[in-house]
Amino acid sequence: QVQLVESGGGLVQAGGSLRLSCAASGNILSINTMNWYRQAPGKQRELVATISSGATTNYADSVKDRFTISRDNAKNTVYLQMNSLKPEDTAVYYCKIMCLINVEWSWFWGQGIQVNVSS
């Protein structure tokens, strides 16, 4: 139906940068809101950044001014540029995208990708 494939995670030192990508494929007629979440060990999953179909963005306070979410509608892809990374940014990062399949809008999750920030 719909597959979300994430890439770009890995290990980086504090102060470094990573760029995550999440590409959607399948019988997608349209994409609306695109989100990035993260879940650190022992913590609840939290919303990190959101981008609307009109490219309006919102960020969690903890990542504001360090992370940038963007989208390429032609490629059905959402990105998360992460700069000035901190050890507390270590988590599994998930994309979540609202897709129009046939006549229904539904949310779909990526499989998650690990980001580790060393001090």
Side-chain angles (χ1 to χ4, degrees):
Q1 199 178 25
V2 173
Q3 288 187 329
L4 304 184
V5 179
E6 298 162 353
S7 61
L11 174 64
V12 65
Q13 287 188 331
S17 299
L18 285 173
R19 188 194 193 205
L20 304 183
S21 300
C22 173
S25 62
N27 298 323
I28 301 170
L29 297 178
S30 184
I31 292 179
N32 198 320
T33 303
M34 308 176 92
N35 299 325
W36 283 99
Y37 284 75
R38 67 185 181 186
Q39 187 166 18
K43 295 189 177 181
Q44 289 189 330
R45 192 172 297 188
E46 63 172 346
L47 178 61
V48 174
T50 297
I51 185 166
S52 71
S53 58
T56 298
T57 59
N58 282 289
Y59 299 92
D61 288 342
S62 59
V63 307
K64 213 169 281 185
D65 300 325
R66 299 189 298 121
F67 290 9
T68 302
I69 189 170
S70 60
R71 60 192 289 165
D72 184 334
N73 292 327
K75 296 181 179 181
N76 287 346
T77 298
V78 61
Y79 304 97
L80 186 67
Q81 178 66 44
M82 304 185 294
N83 298 330
S84 302
L85 282 161
K86 305 175 181 179
E88 51 263 44
D89 294 318
T90 294
V92 178
Y93 284 72
Y94 300 88
C95 58
K96 181 184 178 184
I97 297 176
M98 181 182 284
C99 301
L100 179 62
I101 309 298
N102 294 324
V103 297
E104 187 173 343
W105 288 98
S106 300
W107 285 104
F108 295 89
W109 286 91
Q111 80 282 2
I113 191 163
Q114 182 70 47
V115 170
N116 290 313
V117 184
S118 62
S119 57

